[in-house]
Amino acid sequence: MDGAQMIAHELAIVPEGMIADMLTREAAFDAVEKVFAAMAAGEATNFPVVREALGHEDALYGFKGGFDRAGGVLGLKAGGYWPHNLDRRGLINHQSTVFLFDPDSGRVTGMVGGNLLTALRTAAASSVSIKHLAREDAKLLGMVGAGHQATFQLRAALETRKFEKVIGWNYHPEMLPNLQRVADEAGVPFEAVELPGMVEADVIITITSSFEPSLMANHVSPGTHIACMGTDTVGKQELDAALVARATVFTDEVAQSVSLGEAQQAIKNGVIAEADIQQIGSVINGTHAGRTSPEEVTLFDGTGVGLQDLAVAASIVEVAVASGQATVVPL
Amino acid sequence: MDGAQMIAHELAIVPEGMIADMLTREAAFDAVEKVFAAMAAGEATNFPVVREALGHEDALYGFKGGFDRAGGVLGLKAGGYWPHNLDRRGLINHQSTVFLFDPDSGRVTGMVGGNLLTALRTAAASSVSIKHLAREDAKLLGMVGAGHQATFQLRAALETRKFEKVIGWNYHPEMLPNLQRVADEAGVPFEAVELPGMVEADVIITITSSFEPSLMANHVSPGTHIACMGTDTVGKQELDAALVARATVFTDEVAQSVSLGEAQQAIKNGVIAEADIQQIGSVINGTHAGRTSPEEVTLFDGTGVGLQDLAVAASIVEVAVASGQATVVPL
């Protein structure tokens, strides 16, 4: 045996059950904002995504990896979607784990439960877009979608801006109490509306898993910021392509936006071009002006990238190790 | 929080330093033979390989994942090549870690140091090919290459068949004592030769990282089995294309063989076609006859697939857990 490989090091584990205590929404926001900036500056790169149907339990499984040179964060999120988990074994259907590596040596350094983390980093992404693209005087928040993910989105948005009211629509209206509860907790009034009622909103978050557009161009007033968080797969669509065409489009990663994000249909229909889509990180960095008028409709196509997971996981490990709460295993 | 995701489970860790005690060459051989068979039977699938130049430490990093439905093994090997590890920090340059997941639920179940494991599974692959493709009366083993990997190859081969003599060649002859030592340990005579001397060999293992062919058609006698283990990257080449054309070609995975394995140049030159290449698993399964005459030259193009790593890692975890030596962490 080569003696060199025996030099010991440590692995810090933060299991799923500890994430709620280890990760604040502020920390998730900061980590995501920073890594979006690094991506736009060319200092952080997402690797090609692997996503495979296993032919077992109807599961989808894969890897989202990346390297943030600026932050010194390397690794991947591995996992996917097991649609029968809840019914068959009382587990949530989305299951993932984040693994971190030392970019200087290639050795594994961290392992972090990825389930709650994924919900919080996705919510952080729309919040980052609201901070940088919504009008300063935005008062009314519209929610399209009312599932589990929507509650994370709403909670994060209400902490980002002082919204005075929330309105919400869902294809299954019986789920709207999910939104009502979050609004109540934040002390903000909530009202259920039909989709045309979204014309009142200054900011709209769409978070459905639809394959047909819900939000049409005439449902949206000038000056609105829309964060499209639901479309992450070829074939999905939340917004009418004409609405996408009317907006100034920003995204986390252009390659994903045009292929599997909200922009895919508008690109396919030829109503926008890839060159029309800006990285949100450019706005954070100040190399793109972002919103340029109070009438402009801005759109953030949040597709979800591995670097978000890695950035948030790295910040969790830092907190967990510093507070002595990580499970540290000698390797 | 969803209560469902709080259901506890366990992670079994087998760190790099324990692999030497946990993994016998027999176990590696059995695991690799079985998973090659499962691949050929369509019961095990490798996922697309991710391999990225990080632009940091000149490192290559990536993921090799797969799913073996037959064996119930799901996961990936993550890691790569850090060329300055040894010089700068006294670590070996190849660094990797294997992660195993429960295919029923998507939860992580195992983490296994991947450095020694990779060397042993690669050696096991050539041994599997020798068992199934070399002539029964093979007596003389030829080694082309004498680096660190070559010692693993030679050791495994000497356990697979009762070779009476080993001959070896290396571009840097000062490394040949590496082979001499392994042969001495096994009590088999060793002789350094020039490449034309390989005509004496019944089995030849090539394990160099060359970009020019070393072994030419006139260096190889009828009836020889050649295991080509060094070519794993676009542009590399160990054998003259004319020698590949003369042989019956088997491989671990056809897609890799034609794109980045030893067959790539012969395919590029048009001297063989993809359809000429058989999966070694078909021979193991008995759906392909394998060697059909004592004069036939057989060639195994060992490219290295994620399923090999996963199969061996799963067998290590089984041994380590059963013997109470795994580090078990509640998640």
Side-chain angles (χ1 to χ4, degrees), chain B residues 24-62:
Chain B
T24 63
R25 272 184 292 278
E26 292 77 7
F29 184 100
D30 290 347
V32 168
E33 186 180 46
K34 208 164 171 178
V35 81
F36 282 169
M39 283 166 60
E43 289 173 336
T45 311
N46 291 290
F47 302 155
V49 173
V50 174
R51 191 176 155 101
E52 298 281 316
L54 294 187
H56 177 80
E57 290 279 335
D58 301 314
L60 288 172
Y61 175 79

Side-chain angles (χ1 to χ4, degrees), chain A residues 212-295:
Chain A
E212 297 290 337
S214 309
L215 199 67
M216 312 305 281
N218 64 350
H219 297 160
V220 174
S221 292
T224 302
H225 173 62
I226 315 171
C228 303
M229 306 308 295
T231 299
D232 59 357
T233 302
V234 174
K236 284 191 183 172
Q237 184 175 12
E238 301 193 273
L239 271 57
D240 186 37
L243 175 53
V244 177
R246 184 182 149 202
T248 310
V249 181
F250 300 85
T251 188
D252 40 20
E253 187 168 90
V254 174
Q256 290 202 146
S257 174
V258 301
S259 59
L260 53 77
E262 191 57 45
Q264 64 179 289
Q265 301 300 338
I267 289 280
K268 219 165 125 185
N269 299 352
V271 296
I272 68 166
E274 183 168 334
D276 297 329
I277 304 175
Q278 309 297 327
Q279 280 188 282
I280 183 120
S282 308
V283 183
I284 299 167
N285 285 336
T287 56
H288 186 286
R291 168 179 294 279
T292 53
S293 84
E295 294 78 34

Side-chain angles (χ1 to χ4, degrees), chain A residues 1-7 11 13-18 20 45-50 52-57 59 61-67 69 74-76 78-80 82 85-86 89-93 95-97 99 101-108 111 115-116 148 152 327 329-331, chain B residues 1-7 11 13-18 20 45-50 52-57 59 61-67 69 74-76 78-80 82 85-86 89-93 95-97 99 101-108 111 115-116 148 152 327 329-331:
Chain A
M1 285 301 312
D2 191 328
Q5 76 184 49
M6 292 307 171
I7 295 175
L11 169 75
I13 301 176
V14 188
E16 185 62 40
M18 280 178 60
T45 311
N46 291 288
F47 302 154
V49 173
V50 174
E52 297 283 316
L54 293 188
H56 177 81
E57 291 277 338
Y61 175 78
F63 321 126
K64 284 187 164 186
F67 178 43
R69 251 179 305 278
L74 171 68
L76 77 152
W82 268 254
N85 261 3
L86 190 58
R89 41 192 79 82
L91 297 173
I92 64 167
N93 294 345
Q95 288 288 338
S96 64
T97 310
F99 303 100
F101 290 74
D102 174 7
D104 292 340
S105 72
R107 300 198 296 183
V108 63
M111 196 189 108
N115 304 349
L116 177 58
H148 189 63
F152 287 93
T327 304
V329 179
L331 291 183
Chain B
M1 285 304 312
D2 191 330
Q5 74 183 52
M6 291 307 170
I7 294 174
L11 169 74
I13 301 176
V14 188
E16 184 63 40
M18 282 177 58
T45 311
N46 291 290
F47 302 155
V49 173
V50 174
E52 298 281 316
L54 294 187
H56 177 80
E57 290 279 335
Y61 175 79
F63 322 125
K64 284 188 164 185
F67 177 44
R69 253 180 305 279
L74 172 69
L76 76 152
W82 267 255
N85 262 2
L86 192 58
R89 44 191 79 79
L91 296 173
I92 65 166
N93 293 345
Q95 288 288 337
S96 63
T97 311
F99 304 100
F101 290 74
D102 174 8
D104 293 340
S105 72
R107 300 198 296 183
V108 64
M111 196 186 109
N115 303 349
L116 177 58
H148 190 61
F152 287 94
T327 304
V329 179
L331 292 183

Side-chain angles (χ1 to χ4, degrees), chain A residues 138-141 158 162-166 187-189:
Chain A
K139 294 278 181 287
L140 203 149
L141 173 63
L158 292 177
K162 293 224 167 301
F163 289 106
E164 293 175 357
K165 188 178 172 183
V166 178
V188 178

